Amino acid sequence: MAILTRRNFVKSAAAASALPLLGRAAFADEPLKVGYIYLGPVGDFGWTWAHEKGRKAMVEHFKGKVVADYVENVNEDASATPVIKDLAAQGHKLIFTTSFGYMDQTLEVAKDFPDAKFEHCTGYKHGANVGTYNNRFHEGRAALGTIAGMMSKTGVIGYLGSFKVPEVVLGVNSFTLAAQAINPKIVVKLVMIDSWFDPAKESAAAETLANLGCDVITTHTDSPAALQVCEKKKIYGFGQGADMSKFAPHAHLTAIEDIWGPYYISRAQAMLDGKWESDDAWWGIKEGAVTLSPYNKALPANVAAASDKIVSGYKDGSYDVFTGPIADQSGAEKVKKGDRMSLKDLATIDWYVKGVQS
Amino acid sequence: MRIRFEKRRDPSQVMQAVTPVAAVLLTMLIGAAIFQAIGYDGPRAVKEIFFTPILASYKWPDVARRAAPLILIALGLCMGNRAKVWNIGAEGQYIVGALAGAGVAYFTKNLQGFWIMPLMIAAGIVGGALWAAIPAFLKTQYRVNEILSSLMLVYVAAQLLNYLVTGPWKDPNGHNFPQTAPFTVWQVLPHTILGTPFPPGLFIAFALSVVFWIVMTRSEFGLGIRVVGDAPKAAKYAGYNADTMVWQTLLISGGMAGLAGVLEAATQSGQLNLGFPSGYGFTAIIVSFLGRLHPLGAALAGVVLAITYVGGQVAQTVVHVPSSTAGIFQSLLLFLILASDVLVKRRIRIDWAPAKTQSVGSAT
Amino acid sequence: MSLEFLIAALVTIVSVTTPILLAATGELVVEKSGVLNLGIEGMMLIGAIAAFAVSYETGNPWLGVIASAVAGALASMIFAVLVLFLGSNQVATGLALTIFGTGLSSLIGDSYIGMAGDSFDSIFPTALAEDPIGKLFFGYSPLVYIAFIAVLAVYYFLNRTRAGLVLRAVGENDVSARSIGYSVIGVRCAAIAFGGAMAGVSGSYFTLVSNSLWQPGMTAGRGWIALALVVFSGWRTGRLLAGAYFFGLFMTLELYAKASGFSFLPSQFWASMPYLMAIIVLAIMSARESGGAEAPACLGKTYIPDA
């Protein structure tokens, strides 16, 4: 915050009266207004809740220099456009649109507001004032896969997904490869429920996976529905996006948590420094964007240690689950021994690795 | 004391015009009261939902964007509902219309010319009409209730969309996300036309509402619809074929829904993805009732409902009411309109005297 | 395919079917009395949030179920007043109720998102309930048994009691029923309330049994399937029961096909199956029995009470 000497103050006051139409954001001591649109409600204990945590962390970090507003339950259709537009029109100079389905709407509004900056989560289209950001959630899945491989007695583990989009495919593959490193014969049964949201179907799908022999199930959907089934069936599961142990105290081994705070802080800082540039940011375990929630007390020490090893491997760069040799479901080799898949290939992946039953 | 409803000889014209207005006002009052009671700024919420979209001119394009598909679909529904043919599956026909247009786009993606757009629109209309032909066929041949058959087909249409955008029509340059390739320059319509902030769909909607009005009030066909709907037995004697009416109204409403779908895809999205179905097909049912099943009424009602959607979003940001607010107001409005319907057709009579008593001055 | 596997699959089918059966049983009674209530989905959601909220606050899921029945019945009264007393169009009023219920449940449910709720303890001894074979009969939540009993009770009521006869008469010919002295409005009002209560209980299944949490819109269209099921059943309770399990079978088949890697047909085809089957069976049934003659004659028609 610039020190307000009497001179500065008078200068800025004069400027204020001379330019009433410039809008509040023109003043250096006005806080930066950041806007968010969320797919779900902030209390959803999943995807949106994590973003909200990040938003709050950002606001707290800057102690008044940055203020942030949000709109929740914004549908991923044309109705999102007026919402984003409203935020921009209300003076928000940095706007985060936190779901894939906002991609085109973000671009459209960005055209009309060239001095505002927009960041679209999990997307891939850019513009002069539009960047994208994502998390390498699959790094967390590698740890989950390791745990699942060690904890599974039947050698069959389950993955509950929504749609066959790259993010989900990445998760499935990462989970499978890590589990195979423990037990090369492990089988991963995959069910896509073709919906981002249907708790009753998630439960039925989880039950089906359990009936087919899975004794560890991980989900890519946001609700704790499948976890509750795991608890009832006395098998293991993982939380998604948040620590969900209160829904399944025995079944919940750990969870992947999305930590958006550091990223949001860095972007707001870039705005304050005037250094914001359109980017395609993919943060992961190393940058603190992905962590695991505390392990279930009943998790054996050697399993916890193996999982920790994966995490520290990612932190110091020595480990990447997508290191060859990797074969796809037909057996064809897609990645040579020793090679690591590039982020670009990971971002557009549409094939499953061998061992996935889909 | 007994309250009874006495049928009027003719529906009251006064009431027909007054009741929708009264319903809107009452909705505002009741809605404000409910939200105030829960702890939100009720009156402010009402202001944002109903008035801001009208007063803030930068919101007009948003209202127009929403109103256009609503009106288009509702026009077809008005016609069907008047004939007591209930097309609940307009959402499915909307989707299939958009898919048909996207199909033309897919096959013409390397071609050029002004002929592509009209072909897409025609395909959309035909697609929607064909999807509505299924319930028409089922009803006329197998007496299957069209409410259910058209509704089930909505889910099937959604799965069809899912299959096409995740499979055969998936954009090869789209990073494997479920969406079609973006439409080429020949396959999109401008967001605004004629120097106004409004999309072409809105003008088409208004023009067609006049057309529908003329057809409904001045043509043989329109008369047939009203007769079959109001007095089916008399209609049969008069020679109107109810089955033909079923086909005609379903095909027309399906075509209108399909038109709305392809226009929406070509104007607003420029491609199809899983987020395309917006529920317009269901909301249009409300619009048709709000407009008293009258084409011009539907045009106005479409605008009113679009206002509540846009206003609902503004209210979310400004008053922090939850996103369910718009739906609550809309259903309140619909309840009140339906309730007030009775005043149009019947007169309230209150009998103060409990029994029949001849008063002194009565005629003998 | 071991017996254990088959039983486990059947158990899943039963779980998937139960909420649809509950709602459909209620709507069957409503439609038998001559009224078409399309507001099932809305009443289910209201019941669902009522059940979650009450069971969360009191710690007792049974109170939650009762609350869901009461809430569903109350919601249905909005419909009853409009349709029976004010003579409004049943299709539109039902739709309005669906939209209202969706919005209201979402509004109330906002404060309950992200909370873990209660569920039922098994009412049979654990040994039976968890036995691999026994669980086919004893391993369910109480709502499953309630659903069965409800179907039987409705069958008995409609076909073996005088009150049921009156209700059916009202549905077939309301004017005649009135002239004999029965209160058409009274009977239909009671039927609508019952339908609302059943829809409410069906909603409670989502927040107390298949899941123990609340998310807005979580019934995800099951109410519409229940509606299809009633017509599917030809308004007969026996066929309702069979039809419900038929639907449940298809919904479960879709999941097993996916989980077993059976990708012979695209997954969306399997997902459409329940809806396509509903249409096909509707067509077959109607074609066989001289077309829709089984529908209560007054279904959906506005009843105009004489002065």
Side-chain angles (χ1 to χ4, degrees), chain A residues 72-73 86 104 124 348, chain B residues 59 176-177 179 271 316 323:
Chain A
E72 52 183 355
N73 290 317
D86 274 351
D104 293 313
Y124 61 85
T348 55
Chain B
K59 280 282 167 204
N176 279 310
F177 281 101
Q179 58 195 27
Q271 68 182 149
Q316 247 199 86
S323 56

Side-chain angles (χ1 to χ4, degrees), chain A residues 71-73 76-79 81-83 85-86 100 103-104 108 122 124-125 163-166 348-350, chain B residues 58-59 62 65-66 162 173-179 191 264 268 271 274-275 278 313-314 316-317 323:
Chain A
V71 183
E72 52 183 355
N73 290 317
E76 284 179 309
D77 55 23
S79 67
T81 313
V83 180
K85 229 197 286 189
D86 274 351
F100 177 72
M103 183 156 66
D104 293 313
E108 196 188 313
T122 70
Y124 61 85
K125 288 192 187 163
F163 292 105
K164 192 181 174 187
V165 289
T348 55
I349 194 169
D350 69 341
Chain B
Y58 79 96
K59 280 282 167 204
D62 296 330
R65 285 168 73 150
R66 294 221 119 187
N162 189 316
N173 299 318
H175 294 234
N176 279 310
F177 281 101
Q179 58 195 27
H191 281 207
E264 185 75 5
Q268 308 297 357
Q271 68 182 149
L274 292 171
S278 308
Q313 260 154 20
V314 177
Q316 247 199 86
T317 353
S323 56

Side-chain angles (χ1 to χ4, degrees), chain B residues 115-148:
Chain B
W115 54 274
I116 295 183
M117 193 71 239
L119 187 63
M120 276 175 71
I121 295 182
I125 299 176
V126 170
L130 281 177
W131 203 245
I134 303 176
F137 174 75
L138 289 170
K139 176 157 181 150
T140 52
Q141 298 300 318
Y142 295 105
R143 301 271 147 246
V144 173
N145 185 313
E146 74 278 14
I147 296 177
L148 293 170

Side-chain angles (χ1 to χ4, degrees), chain A residues 20-73:
Chain A
L21 297 172
L22 254 193
R24 292 162 57 223
F27 294 104
D29 16 20
E30 282 289 327
L32 172 69
K33 280 178 82 167
V34 181
Y36 287 81
I37 63 166
Y38 294 146
L39 181 60
V42 294
D44 76 349
F45 224 66
W47 177 256
T48 297
W49 181 77
H51 283 281
E52 173 67 1
K53 260 200 335 182
R55 181 191 74 90
K56 286 203 186 118
M58 174 189 73
V59 171
E60 216 195 280
H61 175 91
F62 286 102
K63 302 201 199 324
K65 277 207 278 193
V66 173
V67 297
D69 298 310
Y70 66 86
V71 183
E72 52 183 355
N73 290 317

Side-chain angles (χ1 to χ4, degrees), chain C residues 66-233:
Chain C
I66 296 176
S68 71
V70 171
L74 282 175
S76 72
M77 286 299 100
I78 304 176
F79 176 83
V81 165
L82 280 164
V83 161
L84 297 178
F85 294 99
L86 299 177
S88 63
N89 179 287
Q90 291 177 19
V91 170
T93 313
L95 281 173
L97 183 61
T98 292
I99 299 171
F100 182 70
T102 309
L104 187 67
S105 64
S106 178
L107 187 65
I108 301 176
D110 258 357
S111 26
Y112 288 100
I113 296 184
M115 306 209 178
D118 257 318
S119 61
F120 290 99
D121 296 321
S122 173
I123 49 182
F124 291 107
T126 331
L128 275 175
E130 303 203 353
D131 174 63
I133 311 284
K135 69 179 177 192
L136 181 61
F137 301 105
F138 302 112
Y140 302 112
S141 81
L143 286 180
V144 173
Y145 303 108
I146 290 178
F148 268 110
I149 296 174
V151 176
L152 287 172
V154 164
Y155 171 79
Y156 185 78
F157 170 78
L158 286 176
N159 296 307
R160 301 253 188 274
T161 68
R162 188 144 182 286
L165 183 61
V166 171
L167 187 136
R168 283 187 290 138
V170 163
E172 293 297 337
N173 194 329
D174 45 15
V175 175
S176 306
R178 182 83 187 94
S179 63
I180 302 178
Y182 297 123
S183 163
V184 172
I185 292 188
V187 169
R188 285 181 174 170
C189 200
I192 292 175
F194 176 71
M198 291 298 281
V201 172
S202 158
S204 76
Y205 193 89
F206 290 89
T207 50
L208 294 177
V209 179
S210 58
N211 301 105
S212 299
L213 46 85
W214 162 261
Q215 300 241 331
M218 64 191 294
T219 51
R222 305 292 195 283
W224 297 107
I225 299 190
L227 208 59
L229 180 58
V230 174
V231 182
F232 200 99
S233 71

Side-chain angles (χ1 to χ4, degrees), chain A residues 25-331:
Chain A
F27 294 104
D29 16 20
E30 282 289 327
L32 172 69
K33 280 178 82 167
V34 181
Y36 287 81
I37 63 166
Y38 294 146
L39 181 60
V42 294
D44 76 349
F45 224 66
W47 177 256
T48 297
W49 181 77
H51 283 281
E52 173 67 1
K53 260 200 335 182
R55 181 191 74 90
K56 286 203 186 118
M58 174 189 73
V59 171
E60 216 195 280
H61 175 91
F62 286 102
K63 302 201 199 324
K65 277 207 278 193
V66 173
V67 297
D69 298 310
Y70 66 86
V71 183
E72 52 183 355
N73 290 317
V74 180
N75 282 341
E76 284 179 309
D77 55 23
S79 67
T81 313
V83 180
I84 307 175
K85 229 197 286 189
D86 274 351
L87 281 175
Q90 285 161 10
H92 296 87
K93 288 297 179 196
L94 175 62
I95 298 179
F96 294 101
T97 55
T98 62
S99 184
F100 177 72
Y102 300 137
M103 183 156 66
D104 293 313
Q105 298 89 316
T106 309
L107 284 160
E108 196 188 313
V109 178
K111 273 192 267 192
D112 295 330
F113 291 89
D115 350 298
K117 312 290 181 210
F118 297 82
E119 298 216 10
H120 177 231
C121 188
T122 70
Y124 61 85
K125 288 192 187 163
H126 301 97
N129 58 340
V130 182
T132 55
Y133 65 106
N134 205 343
N135 260 1
R136 301 199 293 268
F137 313 105
H138 58 269
E139 295 180 0
R141 297 254 175 225
L144 296 193
T146 308
I147 298 177
M150 294 178 85
M151 297 296 284
S152 170
K153 296 197 183 55
T154 61
V156 182
I157 52 183
Y159 199 108
L160 192 61
S162 48
F163 292 105
K164 192 181 174 187
V165 289
E167 179 198 316
V168 178
V169 176
L170 266 183
V172 174
N173 288 345
S174 168
F175 186 71
T176 309
L177 287 171
Q180 281 171 343
I182 308 289
N183 173 356
K185 292 218 188 51
I186 205 154
V187 166
V188 174
K189 287 193 180 290
L190 172 65
V191 174
M192 294 291 199
I193 61 169
D194 286 331
S195 167
W196 285 117
F197 176 74
D198 187 338
K201 195 167 179 188
E202 288 172 44
S203 297
E207 246 186 62
T208 307
L209 284 169
N211 290 346
L212 288 172
C214 299
D215 60 353
V216 185
I217 299 182
T218 185
T219 81
H220 208 113
T221 52
D222 271 342
S223 86
L227 253 183
Q228 288 184 323
V229 171
C230 291
E231 181 83 357
K232 257 192 272 189
K233 298 233 169 240
K234 301 204 175 28
I235 58 180
Y236 294 118
F238 299 102
Q240 166 67 1
D243 184 337
M244 292 178 168
S245 49
K246 73 177 180 200
F247 289 95
H250 299 291
H252 185 274
L253 293 178
T254 178
I256 300 180
E257 291 196 43
D258 312 330
I259 309 291
W260 298 103
Y263 181 75
Y264 289 144
I265 291 173
S266 87
R267 296 315 267 161
Q269 188 66 55
M271 286 294 287
L272 290 173
D273 297 338
K275 293 208 176 86
W276 189 95
E277 263 175 19
S278 164
D279 193 8
D280 181 19
W282 274 58
W283 286 22
I285 291 185
K286 188 148 82 157
E287 295 87 348
V290 177
T291 63
L292 294 181
S293 61
Y295 297 119
N296 190 316
K297 299 226 179 7
L299 194 71
N302 64 329
V303 181
S307 166
D308 286 338
K309 194 149 161 269
I310 303 277
V311 173
S312 54
Y314 267 114
K315 278 214 184 98
D316 62 22
S318 61
Y319 174 78
D320 185 331
V321 73
F322 286 107
T323 308
I326 302 179
D328 69 14
Q329 284 173 306
S330 69

